[in-house]
Amino acid sequence: MSFKVCVCGGAGGIGQPLSLLMAMDDRVGELCVQDVDVAMVPAAGVAADLSHLNLPSKVKGFAIDPKQPAVDQLEECLTGCHLVLVPAGMPRKPGMTRDDLFNINAGIAKGIAEACAKFCPDAVLALIVNPVNSVVPAVTELYKKWGKDPKKIVGVTTLDLVRASKFVGELKGMPPQQVEVPVIGGHAGATILPVLSQTTPATTFTDDEIKALDPRIQDAGTEVVNAKNGKGSATLSMAFAGARLGKAVLTGLAGGEAEGDADVGATVTDLP
């Protein structure tokens, strides 16, 4: 089965490697790289670059005017999409919390969600827009308001599991790709809760190891922001994690079995 996938924000720091990783999936028959027309790198340029790969996917670039409603500009881009990955928005800079980004990035997410609800309401909408903890429930409520299926909205928190397995693997001398550490909660600081006791293969940790691992996993994003000295955030690792979730979604849509970890609506309480 062939799928149409769109990466909104596809010309950015996360979007470019994410677009590459999705183009490398043979199940992706059409890949749309979408961004704003004032992006540092034009979406058409990224699409042209990817279109030279000897891979099955047809790649198209789409640029929109951010001053105009996204819903008025994305019909061709989004119609027929099965999966929409959204790394759009402003990245976090040193000294900024994810909440500082909400007023800017929530508006971007709303515009894309409105266009998806109109042109590809059955597509899975995977949000990488920070702050995920706030943007995902907000967009979920919008889908409910618009009469669309809120279960189509997921937040890409997969990076927390990727980091946890990497850090535990390094600590314990195990191949990270064979380590699974459940991470529950959200995608910001103390809301990121690695359940180290449920690590597979079964692993024991000393109190000191737990005290070191918990904050490292929770603050890993800040570690990257500081290491890049204000010139970027976690882009490559987030693209890797976003593609991992995206590929799991495609497997499920094709009727296969796959596990994907994401921020989804809860049914335990009445909270969004």
Side-chain angles (χ1 to χ4, degrees):
M1 185 174 182
S2 181
F3 295 102
K4 180 177 179 179
V5 175
C6 179
V7 180
C8 294
I14 298 172
Q16 289 194 46
L18 178 56
S19 296
L20 170 62
L21 291 168
M22 295 310 299
M24 293 171 65
D25 192 311
D26 290 342
R27 298 169 298 182
V28 178
E30 184 175 350
L31 177 67
C32 296
V33 179
Q34 182 273 319
D35 217 308
V36 293
D37 58 9
V38 293
M40 185 175 297
V41 179
V46 177
D49 200 354
L50 291 174
S51 71
H52 292 178
L53 304 180
N54 59 335
L55 296 169
S57 58
K58 294 181 180 179
V59 188
K60 298 180 180 179
F62 295 87
I64 65 171
D65 181 351
K67 297 178 182 178
Q68 303 299 322
V71 70
D72 294 339
Q73 307 174 73
L74 290 176
E75 181 174 3
E76 181 184 353
C77 177
L78 294 176
T79 298
C81 275
H82 299 91
L83 170 66
V84 180
L85 295 154
V86 190
M90 176 183 289
R92 193 156 59 110
K93 298 179 180 179
M96 294 181 71
T97 66
R98 288 179 172 85
D99 288 343
D100 293 331
L101 299 176
F102 182 77
N103 288 337
I104 297 173
N105 288 349
I108 295 171
K110 179 183 178 182
I112 293 172
E114 183 181 14
C116 289
K118 182 174 182 179
F119 300 121
C120 56
D122 294 326
V124 174
L125 180 55
L127 299 169
I128 308 176
V129 185
N130 270 326
V132 169
N133 284 10
S134 303
V135 171
V136 171
V139 173
T140 299
E141 291 302 305
L142 286 173
Y143 256 49
K144 291 179 182 177
K145 179 181 177 181
W146 297 332
K148 307 303 179 183
D149 183 1
K151 293 182 180 179
K152 298 294 185 181
I153 309 298
V154 299
V156 181
T157 57
T158 317
L159 181 53
D160 298 322
L161 288 94
V162 169
R163 287 167 168 161
S165 64
K166 176 69 171 184
F167 300 160
V168 169
E170 287 182 332
L171 178 67
K172 295 298 184 179
M174 298 185 293
Q177 65 271 29
Q178 296 178 15
V179 177
E180 292 186 14
V181 182
V183 180
I184 61 175
H187 182 59
T191 68
I192 301 170
L193 303 174
V195 189
L196 296 171
S197 63
Q198 300 303 307
T199 297
T200 55
T203 308
T204 58
F205 300 91
T206 66
D207 289 344
D208 287 342
E209 287 174 336
I210 293 172
K211 289 178 181 178
L213 280 169
D214 275 345
R216 177 139 194 241
I217 294 167
Q218 292 171 339
D219 298 329
T222 301
E223 179 181 317
V224 176
V225 169
N226 291 339
K228 290 189 175 181
N229 197 27
K231 298 179 181 179
S233 57
T235 53
L236 300 176
S237 55
M238 179 56 86
F240 174 86
R244 177 168 134 172
L245 178 64
K247 292 172 186 291
V249 169
L250 296 185
T251 297
L253 292 176
E257 292 186 7
E259 291 185 5
D261 302 282
D263 185 3
V264 297
T267 57
V268 178
T269 73
D270 292 331
L271 295 174

